[in-house]
Amino acid sequence: RIIHEEGLEARFARHILHSNALKAGLTAMGLELFAQSGYQAPMLNSVIIPEGVDDAGVRNYLLTNYGLEIGGGLGPIKGRIWRIGLMGHSCNRENVMLVLAALEEALAAQGFHMEAGVGVSAAREAYKAV
């Protein structure tokens, strides 16, 4: 019913919009996307964990301090990537901005260096471009 009310084309466009903003923020933070361009799904964004950053430490920080849960890698990529989902109702600007701000804070707590607010600023610019 919810999908029908929104319409498939509008739903697809919403997922692409928010995924693009998330990816803009992540890359501005100096993070690298795992999936190659052309093979990326807008509803699940995979990010390579930077060297020296503790996978579980960041995910625990996000969950404890923000109630955000991002997935870790599975199988041979366990401990190497994070999986950030943007699906259904949770695929919105508020959640994109929250996860970027929280991830910046979690990474800073691990000693990862980036300009403060760079991810959120890049996502804002991505939204303006639409």
Side-chain angles (χ1 to χ4, degrees):
R1 177 188 62 80
I2 294 169
I3 294 170
H4 180 71
E5 288 174 1
E6 182 177 9
L8 281 178
E9 294 304 319
R11 193 170 187 88
F12 295 154
R14 177 170 56 87
H15 281 78
I16 291 168
L17 168 69
H18 297 301
S19 178
N20 286 342
L22 177 65
K23 290 188 287 190
L26 294 169
T27 57
M29 291 165 59
L31 301 174
E32 185 181 347
L33 301 173
F34 179 70
Q36 295 174 340
S37 182
Y39 294 93
Q40 298 168 352
M43 66 289 291
L44 187 61
N45 299 270
S46 54
V47 183
I48 296 173
I49 300 169
E51 193 167 320
V53 171
D54 177 51
D55 168 30
V58 168
R59 290 189 295 119
N60 186 54
Y61 187 99
L62 295 175
L63 187 59
T64 301
N65 294 294
Y66 289 93
L68 291 172
E69 188 170 8
I70 64 173
L74 303 170
I77 55 173
K78 182 177 182 178
R80 293 184 42 218
I81 70 163
W82 292 310
R83 296 172 297 123
I84 303 173
L86 287 175
M87 297 177 221
H89 181 70
S90 69
C91 181
N92 60 55
R93 183 179 177 142
E94 179 181 346
N95 286 339
V96 168
M97 295 306 212
L98 175 61
V99 76
L100 287 171
L103 189 56
E104 283 186 12
E105 187 178 301
L107 286 167
Q110 292 258 330
F112 184 78
H113 298 287
M114 75 192 98
E115 183 182 333
V118 69
V120 170
S121 293
R124 266 194 208 108
E125 290 303 313
Y127 284 122
K128 283 182 189 176
V130 177

